[in-house]
Structure formats: structure tokens, C-alpha cells
Amino acid sequence: MPSKTPHNNAGKDGDDSMTVVVPPSKAPKQPAPATDAEGDVAMDVDNAEGKEEKVDPAVQAVADIKSNFALLDRAVALFDARFSLRALRSISLIRKHLSPDVIAQAIADTYPANSASGSIAKSLLAAVGREDVALGRAASAEMDVDSDFKTVKNGASKKEAKEIIPEIDVFLGILIQVYLFDAKQYQQGADFSKFLSDRIQTLNRRTLDCLSAKVYFYFSLFCEYIAPLPPSPESPIVAIRPTLLAVLRTAVLRKDTDTQASVIVLLLRNYLLTSHIKQADLLVSHTQFPENAANNQVARFLYYLGRIRSIQLRYTEAHEHLTAATRKAPSSGCAVGFSQTATKLLLVVELLMGDIPDRATFRQPSLEDALHPYFLLVRAVRVGNLEDFETTIADNADIFKRDGTYTLILRLRQNVIKTGIRMMSLSYSRISLRDICIRLHLGSEESAEYIVAKAIRDGVIEATLDRENGFMKSKEVGDVYATREPGEAFHDRIRACLALHDESVKAMRFPMNQHRLELKNAQEAREREREMAKEIQEGDLDDDDLGGDLDGI
Amino acid sequence: MAERSLSPILAQLKQSPQMSYPEASALLSKAKLLLLSVNALTPNPSAPSNLLALARETYEQGALFSIRAKNADAFTRYVQQLQPFYELPSATLSPNLPERNKVTGLSLLLLLTQGRYAEFHSELESLANRDGGGTDVEGDRYLGYPVRLERWLMEGSYDRVWKAMKSSEVPCDEYSVFSEILKNQIRSEIASSSERAYPSLPISSTKSLLFLNSEGEVIQFAKHRGWIVKEGHIYFPSAAADGEDGASAKDMSQMIMENTLGYARELETIV
């Protein structure tokens, strides 16, 4: 589904911001207090600059980038992935102002000229086509005014500073990936991503997990955009499968759930793009999707799973997964593409199951336009009009093909016929097969007879056929309340309520060892009582002790 | 040199489709050995394209021979071996569309007759994305056939399936191998829906309904299904349904009791 990528991608940054509870610190002028000296100095300098030239977004972008380094430093120091996530989330803010110069300057400012990580910095610079920018502070054009002072100051601080942590390398790498993607330099992006992912694989740092997940995401995205485009088997996405599978294996071994989740999703997407349904199904059955994966990855995983199941005619499962996917999709405007795609598929699956989707679904403002062809489709199926159904398919074939729902929609034909028969059986107590054949535009009377007979067997209608006279006689509709139906519906609802109750109990947070404290309190109280009772008893026996004991109490 | 000895074997296989299966498989294994000696048994990037084409042809012939011999397992194996060849870019190996579609159509039909609908649809999905003429699945002579059959089977137009199985409609000889299986399949489908749909049927029309040749066959079929033949009519046994009702009423009261007890227990845990 190449068409949805841009939406999905736009959604991605959005749902990253959803996954983190802490609100984004939008003001880059108040950087988080960094613990180490280097960070502090750099921040102060940037602050001063920001005040001088507020108009220049490039300078601000550089400052933004560098404020994230402090977060990364902290993530490593405190071993808390939350700070890395916060840094990642800010990419969407920086994204608009990214340019080779901004990135080059950030790199030049960060890396000292003569350090071990200089070679990495060089290759990062090469990726944005700024090989000539020298490392260290002096190279930056904007600093020329007061470069002498700052070079000295920075040089001094950098001597104390320790080696640049790999998280910063990778973070800069992601920024370059984002820039190359926005600049549509897909081939370059893929090459750079290859380099970056090779480098990540040599490192084994848990604090790198959420960053590397992002790197692979862009790697695969670049490959999708390089010609020949995905449905063709020559597309580069086929070539990166071994890499991704290797990454998945490593991630599972290192219990790196971020990478694991995102690579599973990437692989599924990869297989589905080339319609390798069987491989995708095998992947799902052989891997276990991490339970505590990020919400947006879970939503995507469920969507792909629903897609596989719907192709395999397992509609009930598909319906379950897709419903969950649409509910988990972020409700904010940034992931409209995802929820549109998921809703489309969900609608088709509902139709295939014989349900008619709720009309309110089509009224949501964000979905209304995109779902219009599906609305027409649902209308045709609901009425049971084969002719309308065929024209709807013919009119919107291109849209359905683009959405990847075309083959599923073709399967709907039988549902349309069934609905038509049901309508007819409800409205007529007796109708000739010839009339059925004419109304439903079936080929021949014999076909109509077989189709009706099948519908009766499948329990779609309650009727009998009379072959000699060639008509269908509907049975009287019995009293629904005499059947077990209401009881079952009641039972289902009660069960749903009970499940909800259980889940909410499970979801509640209990402070650690609170119950033990209570138990202890209760035990103490009981002990005290017992002691008292004992003492009172003893006091009854021995009056001398009574006074002393009372004093004690 | 392998090429030179391969070509006559293939030509021999192609010219005489009536060859017995053991003979053909002897020739095929010879061809496969030759392919192995030039390292072209699996699509190897280094193998020249004419050798790959020969390898593909060998497998295709193997698939066709095994389907003629009704050897489904061997056929599936050949189809699996063919998959990587079909995935090759057209620059490396120019596709031979009629043969490819023929084999794919046959494998679809096999899946259909075995009732493996999930795989049938997965396969269908991947066909839509094949490069080089994969776009028009329904319009293709070989591929459209199983697709149409599946649709008619699903909606219940058995008469159309029946018509499609007549020799004039079948795209090629190999497809008629499945006719017998399909005939039995739709006959039992029709029988099971008739049981529910008709209170009774005259024997004469049952003949045409079930696509049987004589009334004698109808009576035989009816006996086989356990139907009651009386005075030129067939009556479908409905006793089973009556017995079920009594059982279900009992089930129902039991179920309600179980459910209510369950609610009580749950309420207790909550309160």
C-alpha cells in the first residue's frame, strides 16, 4: 500500500508524542539542566545567540538539536529510555528547519577535531554533502564575529569532556535520515542508512534501543521509495529482508523490545507489499510480538495481522484485530492516514461477515471523503442490489485497488446475493424463482434455485422450495422471544461487563507491599488485643499487677 | 553440453503427453541430474538465462505430468520449485506467460478442490502483483477459470460450475483431471442443501438437479445419503431435527442454570 506511507509517516511523529506522557518542552530557550560541564557551557552559548538573532530559524534549529544531546546524556547516565524518547519526539519540531548546513553545524559544534569519533563525524558530514566543514567550533560561519573567544572557551571545555556517546552519533544519523527523506534523496538515504545500521549492530547498548528502532524504520522506508517500486519483486525491499531478519534475531536475543516490535512490523509490511502472504503468516506464527511494545507499533501490528487474516478468510479474527487497531490509532489529526486505511479494511471485513457497518462511521469529518466509495458499496450491499454493486465496483475499481481491498471486495458478491434473497424472503410469503432471478439479475432460474437452496442451508433465510411449481415459500417468522436468542444476548452482555470489571481491576495500580503493611498492622493490632485480653485476664487473677499494667497502657 | 542433452529430453516430454508417468519421471530425473551438474537446479544468479529457462521448462513439464497422473503431492512439489523461477526479474529470465499461468491455474484448482480456501486466496492476492501481465487475472484463460469456479461455488450457482466443467469450456486437458472431484463435491453440496430446502422431491427432477444420468442412479444416491424413496418422491429424513429439539431444550435449561450460578459467583467476588 504505497499510497498510505506519507500519511502513516506523518502519523508516526505524531504518535510518538502520544506515547510519552511528559509534555514536550517547546521552549528551546530553557534547556533541561544538564549535569555535565560541557552541556552547560554549550547551552549558555546558544542561549546568548538565540537572543541576538531570534529571527534565524537555522540557529534555533541547531540549538534545538543540541538541547537534545543533554537529554541523551541524561538517558545514558540514568539509564532511562524516557529521555531518549523525548529527544526523538522533538524531531518533528526540528524537521521543518533541517538543512545540510544546520546538520553540518551541529556536527561541527559537537565533535572536537582530534578525537576518536572524528571519523564518524566525517562520515556523517559526508552524508549531507558537507565534507569540507572542519570539525570544531571555528568552522561555523555565524560564529565568526566572536569566534576567538568562543573557540578558546569551547576548546577548554571539550578537553574536560569525555568521549561523545554513540547515542549522539545515532541521533544525528536519524536527523540526517529525516533530512534526506524530506529532500527525496532516497538512494543516498538508503546508502547512509545501511552504514548507520551497520554501525548500530556493532554496538550493544540498551540505551540505544529506541533510537535504533527509528533508524531501521527509515532504512526500510528509503528502500520502499527506490525504483522499482514495491509490487515488483526486484524492489530493494526484498534485498533488505535478510538484514531485517538478522536485526530481529539480535533484538530478540537482547530483549530489545523497541527494535523487536518495530522490525516485526517492518517485515510484515515488507512482505505484504510484495503480496507474500504466506511468508507474512509464517513470520507471525513464529515470532512473538512483545507485549509492552509502544502503542503505535501495536496498532500497526494489529492492522497488518488483520490484513493477513482477512485474506485468509478468517474474518472473525480479522475483525477483532482491525477493531483493536482502529481503536488504538491515535485520535489526534496526525495519524488520519492510518485510521482511514484501517477503517476501510475494517468496513470491508464487516461486510464480508454479513454485518452492515454503522452509518455514523461515515460521518466522521476526518474519514468522510476517504470513505465515500465504501459508503456507496455498503449501500449496494445493504439493499442487496447486484447491479448497483457491480457498477460501484467498476466505478471505483482504481481506488479499491490502490487501497488493496479490491480482491476482498470481489468476494462480497455472494453477500449481496444473500442479502437480496433475505429481503425477498422477508417481504414475500411466496415468490416464484423466476421473479427472484429477475430481481437479483441472476443468470438463470436454475442458478436461482441452487442459490436459494444454499441460502436456506446456510441459515440465511427460513424458507422451503417447491420444485414442481417453482416457487420459494417463506416460513412464518417465529417469536424471537421463544428461542434461546435473548438469553444468549443477555449472557454475552453480562460476560462483557464482567470481563470489563476484571480488566479494570487488573489495570489498577497497587503500591508495592501495601497489603503486607496492612497485614502487619492488622496483626499487630490483633496481637495487642490479645495481649491486653491476656493481661486483663491475668489482672483478674492478680490485682497487684492491674495498676502497673494500666499505667503501661 | 548439459544444454545439448537437456533439449532432446524436454522435446520428448513435450511431444508425447500420453507417456506413462514412470517413464516420464525417469526422464525428468535425468533432466534434473543434468541441471544439477551445471548448477542450475535452483535459480542461481550466476547461471545463464537459457539454462534457467530450461530448468523452468523441466519443472513445468514435471508438474503437468504429475497432474496427469493425479499425483497431487508431486505436483505441489514441482509448483514449489517453480516459485523462485517465477519470481525472477524478467530481465534475467523472460517470462513464458501461457505456461506459467497454466501451472498456476492448475495449482489454484488443486487448492480449490482440496478445500484450502485460505491458501487459494493468498495465492490469488500475490497474482495481482506479478509483473508482466499479472494484472488481468480474470481475463486470463487459465487463471480466470479457477477464479470463476470459486466464485460460483461460493454463491451457489452450481449449474454454472457444471457447465464450466464440460470439455469445451475447460482451458486445457490437464484441467479436466479435477472435474471428477469437483463433480462429487458439488453433488454433495447440492444434496445437503436440498435436504434443508425441500420437503420432498420427485425423482425425475432430482435427476436433473443432481446432474445424474438415470433414475437408477438417483435411487442409489438417495440410499447412499439415507433418504426415503416413496411413490416416485424422495422424502428427506427430518427425524434428526425433532430429536435435537428435545435435547436442545434440556441443554438450554441447563445452560441457563449454569449461567445464573456463574453470575452469582461473580457477584460474590465483586461484592
Side-chain angles (χ1 to χ4, degrees):
Chain A
M1 209 170 316
S3 68
K4 87 172 234 274
T5 318
H7 298 293
N8 204 12
N9 180 36
K12 174 148 186 111
D13 297 321
D15 25 2
D16 273 340
S17 55
M18 307 254 334
T19 50
V20 183
V21 191
V22 192
S25 56
K26 279 201 177 118
K29 295 292 161 309
Q30 299 152 355
T35 38
D36 58 326
E38 197 244 356
D40 265 339
V41 172
M43 289 307 139
D44 291 341
V45 171
D46 290 333
N47 265 355
E49 261 166 34
K51 271 164 204 151
E52 276 167 14
E53 13 185 356
K54 258 190 188 124
V55 274
D56 194 350
V59 177
Q60 194 171 321
V62 176
D64 280 354
I65 294 172
K66 280 189 290 195
S67 71
N68 285 316
F69 295 160
L71 286 174
L72 291 171
D73 267 336
R74 201 126 64 99
V76 175
L78 301 176
F79 206 70
D80 190 349
R82 236 183 33 210
F83 294 107
S84 322
L85 280 175
R86 207 193 289 178
L88 279 178
R89 204 191 47 224
S90 69
I91 290 180
S92 59
L93 293 173
I94 303 173
R95 190 172 189 164
K96 289 171 212 118
H97 307 296
L98 275 183
S99 73
D101 289 320
V102 169
I103 296 172
Q105 202 197 323
I107 295 169
D109 290 354
T110 315
Y111 292 93
N114 51 354
S115 83
S117 50
S119 62
I120 299 153
K122 281 255 164 54
S123 50
L124 290 179
L125 283 173
V128 285
R130 292 287 182 279
E131 295 92 332
D132 47 343
V133 176
L135 294 175
R137 200 77 190 185
S140 44
E142 285 100 321
M143 313 287 152
D144 278 350
V145 208
D146 44 6
S147 64
D148 289 340
F149 166 66
K150 272 171 193 158
T151 321
V152 172
K153 199 176 172 190
N154 273 298
S157 69
K158 255 164 204 155
K159 259 169 217 156
E160 305 158 19
K162 45 191 182 324
E163 197 61 22
I164 304 292
I165 51 172
E167 278 76 9
I168 292 181
D169 301 347
V170 177
F171 184 75
L172 281 169
I174 293 173
L175 283 180
I176 293 170
Q177 280 184 316
V178 171
Y179 161 71
L180 288 175
F181 183 77
D182 287 343
K184 299 195 166 46
Q185 295 174 341
Y186 302 128
Q187 187 60 54
Q188 252 167 294
D191 294 341
F192 175 70
S193 310
K194 181 99 193 72
F195 158 77
L196 198 60
S197 67
D198 284 347
R199 174 156 163 68
I200 288 174
Q201 271 156 33
T202 59
L203 300 162
N204 184 7
R205 290 168 71 102
R206 290 287 64 75
T207 41
L208 209 60
D209 288 351
C210 51
L211 294 170
S212 54
K214 205 81 169 170
V215 169
Y216 295 122
F217 171 79
Y218 280 108
F219 188 11
S220 150
L221 204 59
F222 280 124
C223 291
E224 262 172 44
Y225 276 84
I226 297 174
L229 291 173
S232 138
E234 293 147 72
S235 165
I237 56 168
V238 179
I240 61 164
R241 276 178 201 168
T243 322
L244 287 179
L245 285 167
V247 169
L248 177 62
R249 200 165 46 223
T250 327
V252 172
L253 288 175
R254 290 177 181 171
K255 297 206 192 312
D256 170 1
T257 49
D258 285 320
T259 313
Q260 201 184 334
S262 96
V263 170
I264 289 179
V265 168
L266 286 176
L267 275 168
L268 281 182
R269 178 183 172 78
N270 197 325
Y271 286 132
L272 287 178
L273 277 174
T274 48
S275 296
H276 285 108
I277 316 293
K278 220 182 275 174
Q279 280 92 324
D281 183 38
L282 284 175
L283 178 75
V284 172
S285 61
H286 287 289
T287 51
Q288 204 175 7
F289 194 73
E291 275 174 24
N292 48 354
N295 183 51
N296 47 348
Q297 299 294 4
V298 177
R300 280 189 206 126
F301 178 73
L302 287 171
Y303 165 73
Y304 290 125
L305 202 57
R307 209 174 154 66
I308 297 171
R309 295 291 176 252
S310 65
I311 290 167
Q312 292 176 326
L313 297 123
R314 288 151 78 173
Y315 300 132
T316 327
E317 285 169 60
H319 184 256
E320 213 172 282
H321 296 315
L322 289 170
T323 322
T326 45
R327 287 192 189 147
K328 275 189 194 289
S331 47
S332 60
C334 48
V336 172
F338 178 80
S339 59
Q340 275 176 356
T341 320
T343 317
K344 281 174 191 169
L345 195 57
L346 179 65
L347 289 176
V348 177
V349 170
E350 264 180 28
L351 284 178
L352 281 169
M353 287 172 79
D355 298 341
I356 300 296
D358 201 3
R359 202 179 168 116
T361 322
F362 299 101
R363 291 220 191 89
Q364 292 170 37
S366 59
L367 303 175
E368 202 171 1
D369 283 347
L371 293 185
H372 187 66
Y374 293 86
F375 173 66
L376 296 177
L377 190 74
V378 170
R379 212 164 53 181
V381 176
R382 201 178 68 88
V383 180
N385 188 333
L386 258 189
E387 213 173 349
D388 270 4
F389 174 71
E390 307 254 314
T391 48
T392 312
I393 290 190
D395 288 349
N396 299 306
D398 288 338
I399 299 176
F400 293 147
K401 273 182 189 155
R402 210 183 54 210
D403 290 344
T405 49
Y406 187 66
T407 44
L408 291 177
I409 287 172
L410 286 182
R411 292 189 212 161
L412 273 175
R413 209 182 123 86
Q414 39 163 324
N415 292 55
V416 181
I417 295 176
K418 274 185 195 163
T419 327
I421 292 176
R422 188 158 55 198
M423 301 293 273
M424 231 159 274
S425 141
L426 287 177
S427 17
Y428 299 93
S429 61
R430 180 192 284 194
I431 185 169
S432 74
L433 291 171
R434 166 176 289 280
D435 282 338
I436 294 181
C437 167
I438 294 168
R439 303 243 166 139
L440 293 181
H441 310 283
L442 300 172
S444 64
E445 246 173 89
E446 288 99 70
S447 295
E449 190 172 353
Y450 287 120
I451 291 171
V452 173
K454 191 172 189 292
I456 293 173
R457 190 197 58 178
D458 294 347
V460 178
I461 50 169
E462 291 276 328
T464 51
L465 282 171
D466 191 321
R467 184 159 172 94
E468 279 128 295
N469 303 314
F471 62 76
M472 175 182 91
K473 189 168 181 288
S474 310
K475 277 183 190 159
E476 290 298 309
V477 184
D479 181 15
V480 187
Y481 288 96
T483 62
R484 58 165 73 183
E485 204 103 318
E488 270 167 16
F490 178 66
H491 180 58
D492 277 345
R493 282 170 200 197
I494 296 235
R495 213 171 35 196
C497 290
L498 288 175
L500 186 69
H501 173 262
D502 285 351
E503 265 172 41
S504 20
V505 169
K506 269 185 219 159
M508 271 194 256
R509 274 185 190 208
F510 299 99
M512 284 282 261
N513 296 332
Q514 186 68 42
H515 68 288
R516 235 177 255 168
L517 204 70
E518 269 169 32
L519 274 182
K520 210 174 150 197
N521 283 344
Q523 193 124 15
E524 270 174 14
R526 223 175 295 140
E527 215 131 276
R528 230 178 291 137
E529 238 169 67
R530 207 178 297 146
E531 242 168 62
M532 228 197 296
K534 205 171 145 200
E535 276 163 18
I536 288 169
Q537 227 169 11
E538 280 171 4
D540 280 343
L541 294 174
D542 193 351
D543 281 334
D544 296 349
D545 273 353
L546 195 63
D549 271 334
L550 280 173
D551 284 350
I553 294 165
Chain B
M1 133 230 98
E3 208 181 325
R4 235 175 296 138
S5 39
L6 255 177
S7 311
I9 296 180
L10 281 174
Q12 203 184 339
L13 282 170
K14 265 194 208 164
Q15 270 159 14
S16 48
Q18 267 74 46
M19 203 192 295
S20 74
Y21 184 59
E23 260 179 77
S25 55
L27 279 177
L28 281 168
S29 22
K30 213 161 145 199
K32 278 189 269 187
L33 274 178
L34 282 170
L35 282 175
L36 191 60
S37 67
V38 290
N39 203 10
L41 199 59
T42 49
N44 201 316
S46 60
S49 65
N50 56 345
L51 269 182
L52 286 179
L54 282 176
R56 186 184 59 189
E57 232 167 275
T58 314
Y59 288 131
E60 276 166 354
Q61 288 305 318
L64 293 180
F65 267 104
S66 46
I67 209 68
R68 279 184 213 122
K70 299 190 181 172
N71 188 343
D73 288 339
F75 175 74
T76 324
R77 210 154 42 233
Y78 278 115
V79 171
Q80 301 282 5
Q81 279 165 325
L82 276 170
Q83 281 318 318
F85 286 95
Y86 291 153
E87 299 256 314
L88 284 180
S90 43
T92 329
L93 182 65
S94 61
N96 181 2
L97 284 182
E99 283 295 303
R100 184 180 81 177
N101 290 348
K102 195 166 162 182
V103 174
T104 319
L106 278 170
S107 74
L108 281 176
L109 207 52
L110 180 71
L111 291 175
L112 193 63
T113 49
Q114 291 178 337
R116 288 148 70 185
Y117 294 112
E119 283 167 70
F120 178 87
H121 283 286
S122 313
E123 192 73 18
L124 208 60
E125 192 81 6
S126 64
L127 285 184
N129 282 337
R130 247 185 203 175
D131 71 328
T135 42
D136 190 16
V137 173
E138 274 176 80
D140 189 85
R141 193 158 142 254
Y142 296 113
L143 295 178
Y145 185 71
V147 172
R148 279 196 299 275
L149 281 191
E150 192 265 353
R151 195 166 303 157
W152 290 332
L153 277 178
M154 280 297 139
E155 64 185 42
S157 330
Y158 299 118
D159 60 321
R160 291 199 192 175
V161 182
W162 189 262
K163 270 183 219 143
M165 280 191 302
K166 281 188 194 140
S167 49
S168 56
E169 299 282 327
V170 174
C172 71
D173 293 343
E174 282 82 12
Y175 281 69
S176 51
V177 171
F178 294 102
S179 300
E180 200 55 38
I181 310 167
L182 273 176
K183 265 181 209 168
N184 288 329
Q185 200 181 336
I186 62 172
R187 207 167 275 153
S188 74
E189 285 278 320
I190 296 172
S192 69
S193 32
S194 314
E195 279 172 14
R196 303 286 303 274
Y198 302 95
S200 75
L201 272 177
I203 290 185
S204 54
S205 67
T206 317
K207 189 182 81 178
S208 58
L209 191 70
L210 292 171
F211 308 111
L212 290 168
N213 294 325
S214 69
E215 295 192 3
E217 275 183 50
V218 175
I219 293 171
Q220 215 173 351
F221 188 79
K223 269 188 196 150
H224 178 68
R225 305 267 322 179
W227 296 340
I228 302 152
V229 184
K230 232 193 294 178
E231 299 153 11
H233 276 71
I234 292 176
Y235 293 96
F236 301 107
S238 53
D242 290 340
E244 233 172 61
D245 272 356
S248 70
K250 207 174 154 194
D251 271 356
M252 199 169 152
S253 47
Q254 184 127 21
M255 203 182 70
I256 290 175
M257 268 192 268
E258 266 172 31
N259 287 347
T260 325
L261 285 175
Y263 304 152
R265 207 179 312 123
E266 293 284 348
L267 269 178
E268 210 164 36
T269 56
I270 293 170
V271 179

